[in-house]
Amino acid sequence: MSDVTGISPASVHRIWRAFGLKPHMEKTFKLSTDPAFVDKVHDFVGLYMDPPDRAIVLSVDEKSQIQALNRTQPGLPLTFGQPETRTHDYKRHGTTSLFAALDIATGEVIGRLKRRHRSAEFLEFLNAIDRSVPAGLDIHLILDNYGTHKTDKVKAWLAERSRYHVHFTPTSASWLNLVERFFSTISERWIKRQAHTSVKDLEDSIRHYLTVYNENPKPFQWRKTADEIVASVSRAASALDRRTDKPD
């Protein structure tokens, strides 16, 4: 930049700092092209901020391919003036998948671990949900558009149970699924901080976390209104259009 503009490197840095420019950083994005995006956003935010009576709202998804990683050398615990340490490299010992249903109102999580995440495993998880929720309550399921959630067997299972109401996220908008926040929590606070010598060791560790977590669950608070979300996405789309428009 200094060579192109003919000013000193120090001046370039001062200008970048003054305007908060960080050219070494970038963010990824994907705008939804779902024609029902606005309606779905209002539906989801309504479920989060004003859930229906005599019903439970469950945010459901799978955290797949969780790796059982064992560090190549023992780490050192937290001590005065020193952070906890771990080696940068590791040994892989297989994977598992966590099926989770987050109760929007209470924060409690129904979780099951499966070595695979096909339609058969998802149906088993739906049966686990059905056994866990009292018979007198309707169940609103929040799901993304993963193919496993839309197979004929899953559709037939849901059609046979009138208390289930399914809400699919807009395409390319799985961030609307609140269970993703729980997955981030368990990953950052537990899974990544552990060392696991086998898949069974990893699964036992996750089950322990779920047990402790559900002893004192706390719901995640949804802050943004539907109108605020739609307006933010509209601004991003407009900015993208301006950048991609080419003069004739």
Side-chain angles (χ1 to χ4, degrees):
M1 178 65 73
S2 175
D3 292 340
V4 172
T5 58
I7 61 178
S8 70
S11 297
V12 172
H13 287 302
R14 281 196 299 271
I15 294 170
W16 284 350
R17 284 198 301 271
F19 289 92
L21 298 176
K22 300 178 181 179
H24 62 288
M25 297 180 66
E26 64 178 9
K27 293 182 178 180
T28 59
F29 76 98
K30 181 71 177 288
L31 294 177
S32 175
T33 58
D34 194 321
F37 177 79
V38 173
D39 290 338
K40 289 182 178 180
V41 168
H42 280 271
D43 179 37
F44 273 63
V45 175
L47 288 172
Y48 292 151
M49 304 185 77
D50 187 21
D53 295 330
R54 297 297 302 164
I56 183 172
V57 180
L58 296 176
S59 178
V60 178
D61 202 0
E62 305 92 27
K63 183 174 178 60
S64 60
Q65 300 295 306
I66 306 173
Q67 297 190 71
L69 303 177
N70 191 23
R71 300 294 164 179
T72 56
Q73 297 173 3
L76 297 175
L78 174 71
T79 187
F80 293 102
Q82 295 293 332
E84 179 184 14
T85 65
R86 62 186 179 210
T87 59
H88 71 278
D89 56 345
Y90 44 78
K91 297 178 181 177
R92 293 185 175 92
H93 293 283
T95 63
T96 192
S97 295
L98 172 61
F99 289 69
L102 172 69
D103 185 336
I104 299 303
T106 67
E108 188 173 354
V109 174
I110 301 170
R112 295 294 185 275
L113 290 156
K114 308 288 184 182
R115 299 293 172 91
R116 305 178 71 176
H117 53 103
R118 304 165 301 173
S119 176
E121 284 75 25
F122 183 61
L123 282 171
E124 291 175 1
F125 185 54
L126 288 177
N127 282 313
I129 291 174
D130 204 48
R131 292 190 298 268
S132 300
V133 178
L137 293 178
D138 277 5
I139 301 175
H140 291 261
L141 292 181
I142 294 173
L143 297 168
D144 64 19
N145 294 281
Y146 187 48
T148 298
H149 303 154
K150 295 184 174 182
T151 64
D152 291 339
K153 290 183 178 180
V154 170
K155 291 178 180 177
W157 190 95
L158 293 168
E160 292 171 357
R161 293 161 176 82
S162 59
R163 70 172 179 153
Y164 281 84
H165 311 273
V166 181
H167 308 258
F168 287 106
T169 62
T171 55
S172 305
S174 60
W175 46 268
L176 277 170
N177 199 340
L178 200 55
V179 75
E180 298 293 343
R181 185 64 186 84
F182 170 75
F183 286 152
S184 176
T185 298
I186 190 174
S187 178
E188 295 298 326
R189 295 185 180 180
W190 189 254
I191 296 174
K192 290 183 179 180
R193 300 179 70 89
Q194 307 293 315
H196 304 103
T197 58
S198 67
V199 174
K200 182 181 182 303
D201 182 29
L202 170 63
E203 291 176 337
D204 289 343
S205 176
I206 293 174
R207 290 190 187 97
H208 172 74
Y209 181 89
L210 290 172
T211 299
V212 174
Y213 181 89
N214 283 328
E215 289 175 354
N216 186 29
K218 292 181 175 60
F220 297 103
Q221 297 296 320
W222 190 269
R223 303 293 185 186
K224 291 285 187 179
T225 67
D227 289 339
E228 288 173 331
I229 294 171
V230 172
S232 177
V233 172
S234 296
R235 288 193 297 271
S238 298
L240 181 64
D241 288 340
R242 290 194 298 271
R243 291 180 183 181
T244 55
D245 281 344
K246 295 181 179 180
D248 295 333

